[in-house]
Amino acid sequence: MPLHKRSSKMVAFVAVMAGLANVFGLVAIPVGLTSIHFMQLPIILTGLTVGSIPGASVGLLGSLVMAFMLPTANPYIILGNAILGSFTGFFYSRIKNWKVRPVIPQLASVIAAYLIQAPYVYVTDVYLVSMHPAVVQAILLKLLGEDLISLFISHIIMFRVDIAAKVR
């Protein structure tokens, strides 16, 4: 979004979404041997509804708590989530008018953003945080699942509420 189009509603929306992302990052839902969280939900929702810069902002601000609450702090999570929000918004802004069901361009945007985010996560976690490659691969698989679940929840919200119209 161009800087001249900022509004107090947009700033408030980004702040609320970043706060929600931080809270969702703290709440883990046990699933079998692992747990999932929905920190990506506000990041993806923001990227899809209001664009790449607000999506990146929510990714940056919304992952601060999780990055430093892990047993081993991982500040690289912050930029990784900014990549997710930014590229989700970037791709969706270019393909949202496809003449298909709305979930298809949303899905394509999130998968494309994940494919950009995944190498960053792998390199930072293996080479900078010194995690074992097999562990990072498991994290990436879990991350893809969380992104897809967050996308489908975002799709339902977007079907019900025109967020872009409310924050501009």
Side-chain angles (χ1 to χ4, degrees):
M1 166 180 30
L3 292 177
H4 68 278
K5 288 192 176 183
R6 285 184 299 174
S7 71
S8 57
K9 288 180 185 179
M10 180 66 73
V11 172
F13 178 74
V14 167
V16 168
M17 291 293 107
L20 277 174
N22 278 302
V23 170
F24 289 170
L26 294 174
V27 178
I29 300 168
V31 177
L33 298 174
T34 188
S35 61
I36 61 172
H37 59 82
F38 294 105
M39 180 177 71
Q40 299 93 328
L41 175 59
I43 297 167
I44 290 171
L45 180 63
T46 302
L48 290 174
T49 56
V50 292
S52 63
I53 292 175
S57 300
V58 172
L60 279 170
L61 299 172
S63 53
L64 289 172
V65 172
M66 177 176 254
F68 298 103
M69 293 295 291
L70 295 171
T72 301
N74 186 349
Y76 306 106
I77 290 173
I78 298 167
L79 184 56
N81 283 304
I83 290 169
L84 177 66
S86 176
F87 281 100
T88 296
F90 173 80
F91 289 121
Y92 189 64
S93 69
R94 281 147 181 78
I95 64 173
K96 65 184 173 186
N97 294 324
W98 282 358
K99 302 293 182 206
V100 294
R101 293 181 182 265
V103 74
I104 302 300
Q106 294 166 3
L107 178 64
S109 299
V110 170
I111 289 174
Y114 170 82
L115 291 173
I116 293 171
Q117 179 192 30
Y120 169 83
V121 171
Y122 186 84
V123 168
T124 57
D125 286 359
V126 170
Y127 298 107
L128 300 177
V129 183
S130 301
M131 296 173 74
H132 192 277
V135 172
V136 177
Q137 290 170 352
I139 289 170
L140 286 170
L141 187 59
K142 183 177 120 172
L143 179 63
L144 177 60
E146 291 170 347
D147 286 353
L148 293 176
I149 292 168
S150 295
L151 162 70
F152 290 116
I153 295 170
S154 296
H155 174 71
I156 293 167
I157 293 168
M158 291 171 65
F159 182 72
R160 304 263 182 224
V161 181
D162 186 3
I163 294 171
K166 294 189 183 298
V167 298
R168 292 207 165 108

mmCIF file of all heavy atoms in Angstrom, residues 78-106:
data_model
loop_
_atom_site.group_PDB
_atom_site.id
_atom_site.type_symbol
_atom_site.label_atom_id
_atom_site.label_comp_id
_atom_site.label_asym_id
_atom_site.label_seq_id
_atom_site.Cartn_x
_atom_site.Cartn_y
_atom_site.Cartn_z
ATOM 1 N N ILE A 78 11.195 -13.676 12.804
ATOM 2 C CA ILE A 78 10.563 -12.378 12.544
ATOM 3 C C ILE A 78 10.581 -12.056 11.046
ATOM 4 O O ILE A 78 9.537 -11.759 10.458
ATOM 5 C CB ILE A 78 11.266 -11.273 13.363
ATOM 6 C CG1 ILE A 78 11.106 -11.559 14.862
ATOM 7 C CG2 ILE A 78 10.730 -9.905 13.005
ATOM 8 C CD1 ILE A 78 12.012 -10.733 15.757
ATOM 9 N N LEU A 79 11.739 -12.145 10.425
ATOM 10 C CA LEU A 79 11.830 -11.851 8.990
ATOM 11 C C LEU A 79 11.120 -12.931 8.164
ATOM 12 O O LEU A 79 10.498 -12.633 7.148
ATOM 13 C CB LEU A 79 13.285 -11.712 8.549
ATOM 14 C CG LEU A 79 13.505 -11.313 7.089
ATOM 15 C CD1 LEU A 79 12.776 -10.011 6.752
ATOM 16 C CD2 LEU A 79 14.985 -11.179 6.788
ATOM 17 N N GLY A 80 11.173 -14.178 8.617
ATOM 18 C CA GLY A 80 10.475 -15.252 7.902
ATOM 19 C C GLY A 80 8.976 -14.999 7.808
ATOM 20 O O GLY A 80 8.363 -15.214 6.756
ATOM 21 N N ASN A 81 8.390 -14.523 8.896
ATOM 22 C CA ASN A 81 6.960 -14.230 8.868
ATOM 23 C C ASN A 81 6.648 -12.961 8.091
ATOM 24 O O ASN A 81 5.579 -12.838 7.498
ATOM 25 C CB ASN A 81 6.406 -14.175 10.285
ATOM 26 C CG ASN A 81 6.219 -15.560 10.835
ATOM 27 O OD1 ASN A 81 5.540 -16.378 10.251
ATOM 28 N ND2 ASN A 81 6.849 -15.840 11.964
ATOM 29 N N ALA A 82 7.588 -12.019 8.067
ATOM 30 C CA ALA A 82 7.401 -10.840 7.219
ATOM 31 C C ALA A 82 7.405 -11.250 5.746
ATOM 32 O O ALA A 82 6.632 -10.730 4.943
ATOM 33 C CB ALA A 82 8.495 -9.814 7.502
ATOM 34 N N ILE A 83 8.276 -12.204 5.405
ATOM 35 C CA ILE A 83 8.306 -12.738 4.034
ATOM 36 C C ILE A 83 6.958 -13.367 3.696
ATOM 37 O O ILE A 83 6.396 -13.123 2.623
ATOM 38 C CB ILE A 83 9.457 -13.747 3.871
ATOM 39 C CG1 ILE A 83 10.810 -13.035 3.909
ATOM 40 C CG2 ILE A 83 9.307 -14.558 2.583
ATOM 41 C CD1 ILE A 83 12.007 -13.967 4.031
ATOM 42 N N LEU A 84 6.417 -14.155 4.608
ATOM 43 C CA LEU A 84 5.117 -14.800 4.376
ATOM 44 C C LEU A 84 4.023 -13.765 4.127
ATOM 45 O O LEU A 84 3.280 -13.853 3.146
ATOM 46 C CB LEU A 84 4.747 -15.690 5.570
ATOM 47 C CG LEU A 84 3.383 -16.364 5.499
ATOM 48 C CD1 LEU A 84 3.344 -17.386 4.364
ATOM 49 C CD2 LEU A 84 3.056 -17.033 6.829
ATOM 50 N N GLY A 85 3.918 -12.763 4.994
ATOM 51 C CA GLY A 85 2.872 -11.744 4.836
ATOM 52 C C GLY A 85 3.049 -10.897 3.595
ATOM 53 O O GLY A 85 2.093 -10.616 2.873
ATOM 54 N N SER A 86 4.292 -10.528 3.327
ATOM 55 C CA SER A 86 4.574 -9.684 2.179
ATOM 56 C C SER A 86 4.264 -10.385 0.861
ATOM 57 O O SER A 86 3.582 -9.838 -0.002
ATOM 58 C CB SER A 86 6.043 -9.252 2.211
ATOM 59 O OG SER A 86 6.350 -8.511 1.066
ATOM 60 N N PHE A 87 4.777 -11.596 0.704
ATOM 61 C CA PHE A 87 4.591 -12.276 -0.573
ATOM 62 C C PHE A 87 3.177 -12.827 -0.743
ATOM 63 O O PHE A 87 2.703 -12.936 -1.880
ATOM 64 C CB PHE A 87 5.662 -13.347 -0.771
ATOM 65 C CG PHE A 87 6.961 -12.760 -1.210
ATOM 66 C CD1 PHE A 87 7.988 -12.564 -0.299
ATOM 67 C CD2 PHE A 87 7.153 -12.349 -2.512
ATOM 68 C CE1 PHE A 87 9.191 -11.990 -0.700
ATOM 69 C CE2 PHE A 87 8.341 -11.771 -2.923
ATOM 70 C CZ PHE A 87 9.365 -11.586 -2.014
ATOM 71 N N THR A 88 2.500 -13.134 0.349
ATOM 72 C CA THR A 88 1.084 -13.517 0.219
ATOM 73 C C THR A 88 0.307 -12.345 -0.379
ATOM 74 O O THR A 88 -0.458 -12.508 -1.332
ATOM 75 C CB THR A 88 0.494 -13.927 1.580
ATOM 76 O OG1 THR A 88 1.162 -15.092 2.058
ATOM 77 C CG2 THR A 88 -0.990 -14.213 1.473
ATOM 78 N N GLY A 89 0.517 -11.155 0.173
ATOM 79 C CA GLY A 89 -0.155 -9.963 -0.353
ATOM 80 C C GLY A 89 0.280 -9.616 -1.757
ATOM 81 O O GLY A 89 -0.537 -9.245 -2.604
ATOM 82 N N PHE A 90 1.577 -9.746 -2.032
ATOM 83 C CA PHE A 90 2.117 -9.432 -3.356
ATOM 84 C C PHE A 90 1.491 -10.310 -4.426
ATOM 85 O O PHE A 90 0.987 -9.814 -5.442
ATOM 86 C CB PHE A 90 3.643 -9.605 -3.348
ATOM 87 C CG PHE A 90 4.279 -9.457 -4.699
ATOM 88 C CD1 PHE A 90 4.525 -8.205 -5.226
ATOM 89 C CD2 PHE A 90 4.625 -10.574 -5.440
ATOM 90 C CE1 PHE A 90 5.119 -8.067 -6.480
ATOM 91 C CE2 PHE A 90 5.216 -10.453 -6.685
ATOM 92 C CZ PHE A 90 5.455 -9.188 -7.206
ATOM 93 N N PHE A 91 1.524 -11.624 -4.219
ATOM 94 C CA PHE A 91 0.984 -12.535 -5.237
ATOM 95 C C PHE A 91 -0.533 -12.399 -5.360
ATOM 96 O O PHE A 91 -1.065 -12.386 -6.464
ATOM 97 C CB PHE A 91 1.363 -13.984 -4.935
ATOM 98 C CG PHE A 91 2.822 -14.277 -5.147
ATOM 99 C CD1 PHE A 91 3.609 -14.739 -4.107
ATOM 100 C CD2 PHE A 91 3.422 -14.063 -6.380
ATOM 101 C CE1 PHE A 91 4.961 -14.997 -4.296
ATOM 102 C CE2 PHE A 91 4.775 -14.310 -6.581
ATOM 103 C CZ PHE A 91 5.542 -14.782 -5.540
ATOM 104 N N TYR A 92 -1.214 -12.276 -4.225
ATOM 105 C CA TYR A 92 -2.677 -12.199 -4.282
ATOM 106 C C TYR A 92 -3.142 -10.933 -5.008
ATOM 107 O O TYR A 92 -4.118 -10.966 -5.755
ATOM 108 C CB TYR A 92 -3.282 -12.275 -2.884
ATOM 109 C CG TYR A 92 -4.778 -12.407 -2.920
ATOM 110 C CD1 TYR A 92 -5.378 -13.527 -3.475
ATOM 111 C CD2 TYR A 92 -5.597 -11.414 -2.404
ATOM 112 C CE1 TYR A 92 -6.760 -13.652 -3.524
ATOM 113 C CE2 TYR A 92 -6.971 -11.533 -2.441
ATOM 114 C CZ TYR A 92 -7.554 -12.646 -3.004
ATOM 115 O OH TYR A 92 -8.912 -12.769 -3.050
ATOM 116 N N SER A 93 -2.424 -9.827 -4.818
ATOM 117 C CA SER A 93 -2.834 -8.585 -5.498
ATOM 118 C C SER A 93 -2.751 -8.719 -7.013
ATOM 119 O O SER A 93 -3.441 -8.016 -7.739
ATOM 120 C CB SER A 93 -1.979 -7.410 -5.026
ATOM 121 O OG SER A 93 -0.652 -7.538 -5.490
ATOM 122 N N ARG A 94 -1.934 -9.641 -7.487
ATOM 123 C CA ARG A 94 -1.769 -9.822 -8.926
ATOM 124 C C ARG A 94 -2.667 -10.888 -9.527
ATOM 125 O O ARG A 94 -2.911 -10.879 -10.725
ATOM 126 C CB ARG A 94 -0.302 -10.125 -9.242
ATOM 127 C CG ARG A 94 0.520 -8.858 -9.235
ATOM 128 C CD ARG A 94 1.924 -9.035 -8.758
ATOM 129 N NE ARG A 94 2.662 -7.781 -8.757
ATOM 130 C CZ ARG A 94 2.552 -6.832 -7.836
ATOM 131 N NH1 ARG A 94 1.722 -6.983 -6.828
ATOM 132 N NH2 ARG A 94 3.264 -5.725 -7.902
ATOM 133 N N ILE A 95 -3.161 -11.809 -8.705
ATOM 134 C CA ILE A 95 -3.948 -12.912 -9.273
ATOM 135 C C ILE A 95 -5.359 -13.025 -8.693
ATOM 136 O O ILE A 95 -6.095 -13.930 -9.059
ATOM 137 C CB ILE A 95 -3.214 -14.269 -9.105
ATOM 138 C CG1 ILE A 95 -3.060 -14.637 -7.640
ATOM 139 C CG2 ILE A 95 -1.888 -14.242 -9.821
ATOM 140 C CD1 ILE A 95 -2.496 -16.030 -7.410
ATOM 141 N N LYS A 96 -5.768 -12.089 -7.851
ATOM 142 C CA LYS A 96 -7.075 -12.221 -7.205
ATOM 143 C C LYS A 96 -8.248 -12.126 -8.180
ATOM 144 O O LYS A 96 -9.343 -12.563 -7.859
ATOM 145 C CB LYS A 96 -7.234 -11.207 -6.081
ATOM 146 C CG LYS A 96 -7.245 -9.771 -6.513
ATOM 147 C CD LYS A 96 -7.317 -8.864 -5.311
ATOM 148 C CE LYS A 96 -7.168 -7.417 -5.709
ATOM 149 N NZ LYS A 96 -7.094 -6.554 -4.531
ATOM 150 N N ASN A 97 -8.037 -11.608 -9.346
ATOM 151 C CA ASN A 97 -9.120 -11.471 -10.316
ATOM 152 C C ASN A 97 -9.227 -12.638 -11.287
ATOM 153 O O ASN A 97 -9.927 -12.536 -12.296
ATOM 154 C CB ASN A 97 -8.969 -10.152 -11.077
ATOM 155 C CG ASN A 97 -9.172 -8.964 -10.166
ATOM 156 O OD1 ASN A 97 -9.993 -8.990 -9.253
ATOM 157 N ND2 ASN A 97 -8.404 -7.918 -10.383
ATOM 158 N N TRP A 98 -8.512 -13.716 -11.010
ATOM 159 C CA TRP A 98 -8.680 -14.911 -11.832
ATOM 160 C C TRP A 98 -10.155 -15.295 -11.859
ATOM 161 O O TRP A 98 -10.865 -15.141 -10.870
ATOM 162 C CB TRP A 98 -7.885 -16.079 -11.256
ATOM 163 C CG TRP A 98 -6.410 -16.051 -11.529
ATOM 164 C CD1 TRP A 98 -5.702 -15.138 -12.249
ATOM 165 C CD2 TRP A 98 -5.460 -17.010 -11.040
ATOM 166 N NE1 TRP A 98 -4.371 -15.468 -12.250
ATOM 167 C CE2 TRP A 98 -4.192 -16.606 -11.526
ATOM 168 C CE3 TRP A 98 -5.554 -18.154 -10.266
ATOM 169 C CZ2 TRP A 98 -3.038 -17.321 -11.245
ATOM 170 C CZ3 TRP A 98 -4.395 -18.857 -9.992
ATOM 171 C CH2 TRP A 98 -3.152 -18.449 -10.478
ATOM 172 N N LYS A 99 -10.603 -15.803 -12.976
ATOM 173 C CA LYS A 99 -12.008 -16.200 -13.121
ATOM 174 C C LYS A 99 -12.207 -17.633 -12.625
ATOM 175 O O LYS A 99 -12.601 -18.527 -13.373
ATOM 176 C CB LYS A 99 -12.446 -16.076 -14.584
ATOM 177 C CG LYS A 99 -12.289 -14.693 -15.145
ATOM 178 C CD LYS A 99 -13.228 -13.719 -14.487
ATOM 179 C CE LYS A 99 -13.083 -12.353 -15.122
ATOM 180 N NZ LYS A 99 -13.434 -11.284 -14.266
ATOM 181 N N VAL A 100 -11.898 -17.854 -11.361
ATOM 182 C CA VAL A 100 -12.066 -19.151 -10.707
ATOM 183 C C VAL A 100 -12.632 -18.899 -9.314
ATOM 184 O O VAL A 100 -12.823 -17.749 -8.919
ATOM 185 C CB VAL A 100 -10.721 -19.916 -10.596
ATOM 186 C CG1 VAL A 100 -10.192 -20.301 -11.964
ATOM 187 C CG2 VAL A 100 -9.684 -19.100 -9.847
ATOM 188 N N ARG A 101 -12.868 -19.954 -8.587
ATOM 189 C CA ARG A 101 -13.326 -19.789 -7.207
ATOM 190 C C ARG A 101 -12.297 -18.961 -6.434
ATOM 191 O O ARG A 101 -11.092 -19.140 -6.622
ATOM 192 C CB ARG A 101 -13.508 -21.138 -6.538
ATOM 193 C CG ARG A 101 -14.635 -21.944 -7.133
ATOM 194 C CD ARG A 101 -14.759 -23.267 -6.384
ATOM 195 N NE ARG A 101 -15.796 -24.077 -6.965
ATOM 196 C CZ ARG A 101 -17.049 -24.108 -6.526
ATOM 197 N NH1 ARG A 101 -17.404 -23.375 -5.501
ATOM 198 N NH2 ARG A 101 -17.930 -24.879 -7.113
ATOM 199 N N PRO A 102 -12.749 -18.066 -5.557
ATOM 200 C CA PRO A 102 -11.813 -17.173 -4.856
ATOM 201 C C PRO A 102 -10.721 -17.897 -4.064
ATOM 202 O O PRO A 102 -9.627 -17.372 -3.903
ATOM 203 C CB PRO A 102 -12.719 -16.383 -3.912
ATOM 204 C CG PRO A 102 -14.076 -16.467 -4.509
ATOM 205 C CD PRO A 102 -14.140 -17.778 -5.232
ATOM 206 N N VAL A 103 -10.998 -19.105 -3.600
ATOM 207 C CA VAL A 103 -10.001 -19.804 -2.795
ATOM 208 C C VAL A 103 -8.787 -20.222 -3.619
ATOM 209 O O VAL A 103 -7.691 -20.365 -3.077
ATOM 210 C CB VAL A 103 -10.636 -21.015 -2.063
ATOM 211 C CG1 VAL A 103 -10.911 -22.162 -3.023
ATOM 212 C CG2 VAL A 103 -9.761 -21.477 -0.902
ATOM 213 N N ILE A 104 -8.923 -20.352 -4.929
ATOM 214 C CA ILE A 104 -7.810 -20.806 -5.769
ATOM 215 C C ILE A 104 -6.675 -19.771 -5.808
ATOM 216 O O ILE A 104 -5.528 -20.120 -5.533
ATOM 217 C CB ILE A 104 -8.295 -21.179 -7.189
ATOM 218 C CG1 ILE A 104 -9.366 -22.279 -7.138
ATOM 219 C CG2 ILE A 104 -7.120 -21.571 -8.080
ATOM 220 C CD1 ILE A 104 -8.914 -23.576 -6.510
ATOM 221 N N PRO A 105 -6.944 -18.497 -6.126
ATOM 222 C CA PRO A 105 -5.837 -17.531 -6.082
ATOM 223 C C PRO A 105 -5.298 -17.321 -4.659
ATOM 224 O O PRO A 105 -4.114 -17.059 -4.474
ATOM 225 C CB PRO A 105 -6.412 -16.240 -6.655
ATOM 226 C CG PRO A 105 -7.866 -16.444 -6.776
ATOM 227 C CD PRO A 105 -8.151 -17.900 -6.703
ATOM 228 N N GLN A 106 -6.156 -17.457 -3.656
ATOM 229 C CA GLN A 106 -5.694 -17.352 -2.269
ATOM 230 C C GLN A 106 -4.719 -18.488 -1.959
ATOM 231 O O GLN A 106 -3.646 -18.267 -1.388
ATOM 232 C CB GLN A 106 -6.878 -17.377 -1.304
ATOM 233 C CG GLN A 106 -7.775 -16.165 -1.424
ATOM 234 C CD GLN A 106 -9.116 -16.341 -0.728
ATOM 235 O OE1 GLN A 106 -9.382 -17.355 -0.088
ATOM 236 N NE2 GLN A 106 -9.967 -15.337 -0.851
#
